[in-house]
Amino acid sequence: MAGIGRLSTKGAVLLLCDMQEKFRPNIFQFTNIVSNAARLLQAARVLGIPPIVTEQYPKGLGSTVPELGAGDLTAHAKTKFTMMIEPVEKELKALGDPKIAILCGIETQACIACTTFDLLEKGMEVHIVADAVSSRSQTDRLFALSRLRQSGAFLTTTEAVLLQLVQDAKHPNFREIQKLLVQPSPDTALLAFFSSL
């Protein structure tokens, strides 16, 4: 059902934005953000959701961190503050123009925001995984999440995405997804955001 934010594996794509080595020391909660994104990537592989990876100016900012588990994927290099560059647009077209984007990565107020705006303008439903996005400052992160919510993106969490994608303990892949949920997602300091709602 369009408009209410119900997740489905059909017509979905996982967008993994700019989780690169040089950002590691400067991004708030970087290790936990990448850990959550890695779980999302594992689930996407189990459930047949195609992933797309970008890297912001990799010549200067390094490549995608290995703990994301995306080493077998082609990372699209970019300089724009959006993932919606020509190679990504082509990949989306080849995938049949997915209608649902599950978005994680960095930075929330820059590349996540610009990507979200572009996807919303294309008519896609955007699910920002709040515990899998971050910024250098918690202020930028939280204000960007608020702004993106106002623009029409859905805010969610890693665990919520995993459970909503399978929807039933009888789902044929539930046991594999359940293994990704044995440990709760690490805290990424989002309670301040929700206390302001």
Side-chain angles (χ1 to χ4, degrees), residues 36 45 77 79 82 86 89 98 101 116 118 166-167:
N36 286 333
R45 288 180 162 143
T79 57
T82 179
E86 189 177 336
E89 294 268 16
T116 299
D118 287 347
V166 293
Q167 297 186 21

Coordinates of all heavy atoms in Angstrom, one line a residue, residues 36 45 77 79 82 86 89 98 101 116 118 166-167:
N36 N 25.3 -1.6 11.8 CA 23.9 -1.7 11.4 C 23.7 -1.8 9.9 O 22.9 -2.6 9.4 CB 23.1 -0.5 12.0 CG 22.9 -0.6 13.4 OD1 22.8 -1.7 14.0 ND2 22.7 0.5 14.1
R45 N 20.9 -9.4 1.0 CA 21.4 -10.6 0.2 C 20.5 -11.8 0.4 O 20.2 -12.5 -0.6 CB 22.8 -10.9 0.5 CG 23.8 -9.8 0.0 CD 25.2 -10.1 0.3 NE 26.1 -9.3 -0.6 CZ 27.2 -8.7 -0.2 NH1 27.6 -8.8 1.1 NH2 27.9 -8.1 -1.1
A77 N 31.9 5.8 -7.8 CA 32.6 7.1 -7.3 C 31.8 8.3 -7.7 O 31.2 8.3 -8.8 CB 34.0 7.1 -7.9
T79 N 31.3 12.9 -6.9 CA 31.7 14.1 -6.2 C 30.4 14.9 -5.8 O 30.5 15.7 -4.9 CB 32.5 15.0 -7.1 OG1 31.8 15.3 -8.3 CG2 33.9 14.4 -7.4
T82 N 24.8 13.6 -3.8 CA 23.7 12.7 -3.9 C 24.2 11.4 -4.5 O 25.2 11.4 -5.2 CB 22.6 13.3 -4.9 OG1 21.5 12.4 -5.0 CG2 23.2 13.6 -6.3
E86 N 24.8 9.4 -12.7 CA 24.4 8.6 -13.9 C 24.5 7.1 -13.8 O 23.6 6.4 -14.1 CB 25.2 9.1 -15.1 CG 24.7 8.6 -16.4 CD 25.4 9.1 -17.6 OE1 25.9 10.2 -17.5 OE2 25.4 8.4 -18.6
E89 N 21.7 5.9 -11.6 CA 20.5 6.0 -12.3 C 20.3 4.8 -13.3 O 19.3 4.2 -13.4 CB 20.4 7.3 -13.1 CG 20.3 8.5 -12.2 CD 18.9 9.0 -11.8 OE1 18.0 8.2 -12.0 OE2 18.8 10.1 -11.4
P98 N 13.0 0.5 -9.1 CA 12.4 0.2 -7.8 C 11.7 1.4 -7.3 O 12.0 2.5 -7.5 CB 13.7 -0.1 -6.9 CG 14.8 -0.4 -7.9 CD 14.5 0.4 -9.1
A101 N 13.2 2.8 -1.6 CA 14.6 2.9 -1.3 C 14.8 2.8 0.2 O 14.2 3.5 1.0 CB 15.2 4.2 -1.8
T116 N 17.9 11.7 -0.6 CA 16.5 11.6 -0.3 C 15.7 12.6 -1.1 O 14.6 12.2 -1.6 CB 16.3 11.9 1.3 OG1 17.0 10.9 2.0 CG2 14.8 11.8 1.6
D118 N 16.3 13.8 -4.0 CA 16.2 13.3 -5.4 C 15.3 12.1 -5.6 O 14.5 12.1 -6.5 CB 17.6 13.0 -5.9 CG 18.5 14.2 -6.2 OD1 17.9 15.3 -6.2 OD2 19.7 14.0 -6.3
V166 N 10.3 -9.3 6.3 CA 9.9 -10.7 6.3 C 8.4 -10.9 6.8 O 7.7 -11.8 6.3 CB 10.8 -11.7 7.2 CG1 12.1 -11.8 6.6 CG2 10.9 -11.2 8.6
Q167 N 7.9 -10.0 7.7 CA 6.5 -9.9 8.1 C 5.9 -11.1 8.7 O 4.8 -11.0 9.2 CB 5.7 -9.5 6.9 CG 6.0 -8.1 6.3 CD 5.0 -7.6 5.3 OE1 3.9 -8.1 5.2 NE2 5.5 -6.7 4.5

